[in-house]
Amino acid sequence: MTEHEPFALSAEIIDEAVADLHSIHDWLRFAVSQFNAADLYFGHGTDNPWDDAGVLMAFTLHLTHLAEPSLLQARLTRSEKRQFAALVQQRISLRVPSAYLTHQAYFAGLPFYVDERVLVPRSPIGELITQQFAQWFPVNAPQRILDLCTGSGCIAIACAHYLPDAEVDAVDISEDALQVADLNISQHDLEHRVFPIQSDCFSALPGQQYDLIVTNPPYVDADDMADLPQEYHHEPELGLASGVDGLELTRQILREAAAHLTDNGVLICEVGNSMVALAEQMPDVPFHWIEFSKGGIGVFALTKAQLLAHQQYFGE
């Protein structure tokens, strides 16, 4: 099958599956086969068809996950089969990330509402949040945190959850994204500690300083934007693209972050695959590239002192 050939999950195939397949395992296998035949892309919280099917099955059955092996042998009702098949059909025909079909994604072990106004949460920064950023704050946890380019609010909310004494500003340029963030803040009962703010980078934060700035800004370069699988085109381009080299906004953050950090403050920033271009453009900047036990690349840390010492490399 070529990349552009349509693949349809017909009513006949679904009817046959409803008649012949019975267990959760049967239906997961069926979904994986259909996903493989459709040549779907997996990169929005899952990286393989089995886990992607598992997301849709757990949602169908109102379960958090399918971790218990014995559960796979449980039989489905006819209505459950139909509901799951409908999700599989949508996943194939629309080539939309499963999180947008379920309107749910997990980040740092917490559930979040998502739709096409925001990116699907998937940052490796979640691992640092669950560790309370202990590598940089071994004694006193950060009290004021800025989540820049907050999107769904997942980083801001997770920071507030795992650092219960912290207040977090959740900043984004997109009003649409902030509506989703506000919904998630309410669902996690964090209105008193997480504050959504519309701002183009730091522009609406004059004089504000933070112990920690965490940011997952747009960082996809022009070439990669042109080659993205179809699933990514359901996400807001504003949250992905950042100029020819993918570093347009990152350079601005590097220029301006020091003014918004306390004396011992730290910037943690994700640039993904654009880490290569960043390291090549600024070889004298001591980026600390973080290693993750759960996978992920392209996240660096810089202290306020390091940012101030290397301002000349960040442009005008």
Side-chain angles (χ1 to χ4, degrees):
M1 177 178 298
T2 67
E3 180 182 352
H4 302 292
E5 254 179 58
F7 176 89
L9 188 56
S10 67
E12 290 78 12
I13 292 174
I14 293 174
D15 288 343
E16 181 184 37
V18 169
D20 294 346
L21 304 179
H22 305 292
S23 70
I24 291 174
H25 192 279
D26 289 343
W27 277 90
L28 290 175
R29 195 282 310 156
F30 170 79
V32 168
S33 296
Q34 302 303 319
F35 287 171
N36 285 339
D39 195 26
L40 298 185
Y41 182 84
F42 307 98
H44 295 85
T46 65
D47 61 5
N48 63 83
W50 180 268
D51 288 344
D52 210 70
V55 166
L56 298 180
M57 180 62 77
F59 176 77
T60 299
L61 301 180
H62 304 283
L63 299 172
T64 303
H65 51 71
L66 303 176
E68 177 54 52
S70 62
L71 184 64
L72 297 183
Q73 301 311 314
R75 293 165 65 95
L76 298 177
T77 66
R78 183 174 286 104
S79 63
E80 289 170 341
K81 294 176 184 179
R82 291 286 183 186
Q83 290 168 23
F84 179 68
L87 288 172
V88 171
Q89 189 174 36
Q90 286 181 287
R91 178 69 178 92
I92 291 170
S93 62
L94 301 177
R95 301 190 76 91
V96 61
S98 289
Y100 289 152
L101 296 176
T102 65
H103 294 303
Q104 181 172 274
Y106 281 83
F107 177 76
L110 303 172
F112 293 93
Y113 172 87
V114 294
D115 61 30
E116 295 187 19
R117 292 174 289 180
V118 297
L119 301 187
V120 176
R122 51 186 178 270
S123 172
I125 290 173
E127 184 176 321
L128 306 181
I129 298 173
T130 61
Q131 296 167 355
Q132 301 178 308
F133 301 97
Q135 181 177 350
W136 298 274
F137 301 91
V139 179
N140 297 314
Q143 299 296 298
R144 290 205 74 211
I145 300 173
L146 169 62
D147 173 19
L148 191 62
C149 307
T150 193
S152 65
C154 62
I155 287 177
I157 290 165
C159 284
H161 176 85
Y162 287 97
L163 295 161
D165 294 326
E167 289 189 352
V168 187
D169 285 346
V171 168
D172 206 288
I173 192 174
S174 167
E175 288 187 12
D176 286 342
L178 287 173
Q179 290 173 6
V180 177
D182 199 39
L183 177 63
N184 281 314
I185 291 166
S186 297
Q187 288 185 347
H188 286 271
D189 296 320
L190 286 169
E191 297 96 331
H192 59 298
R193 289 202 296 120
V194 180
F195 307 104
I197 300 170
Q198 185 182 17
S199 179
D200 183 356
C201 203
F202 296 102
S203 64
L205 304 171
Q208 296 297 311
Q209 289 193 321
Y210 303 89
D211 303 313
L212 173 65
I213 297 174
V214 186
T215 181
N216 180 14
Y219 56 71
V220 182
D221 64 40
D223 287 343
D224 283 350
M225 282 297 299
D227 293 334
L228 284 176
Q230 192 172 338
E231 280 83 351
Y232 285 94
H233 292 287
H234 292 274
E235 294 190 296
E237 184 175 338
L238 186 64
L240 294 170
S242 190
V244 174
D245 62 2
L247 295 170
E248 187 173 307
L249 185 54
T250 298
R251 281 189 291 270
Q252 181 180 355
I253 292 169
L254 288 168
R255 286 194 300 271
E256 300 178 6
H260 295 279
L261 286 169
T262 55
D263 288 345
N264 296 314
V266 177
L267 167 69
I268 292 177
C269 177
E270 180 172 345
V271 293
N273 292 337
S274 294
M275 67 182 292
V276 176
L278 184 62
E280 288 177 350
Q281 290 178 25
M282 305 178 189
D284 294 324
V285 177
F287 296 107
H288 170 55
W289 296 104
I290 300 166
E291 295 184 4
F292 296 95
S293 62
K294 298 179 181 178
I297 61 167
V299 179
F300 68 79
L302 287 171
T303 65
K304 176 172 183 169
Q306 290 170 328
L307 288 164
L308 288 173
H310 296 86
Q311 281 292 306
Q312 69 268 31
Y313 298 107
F314 304 147
E316 296 298 328

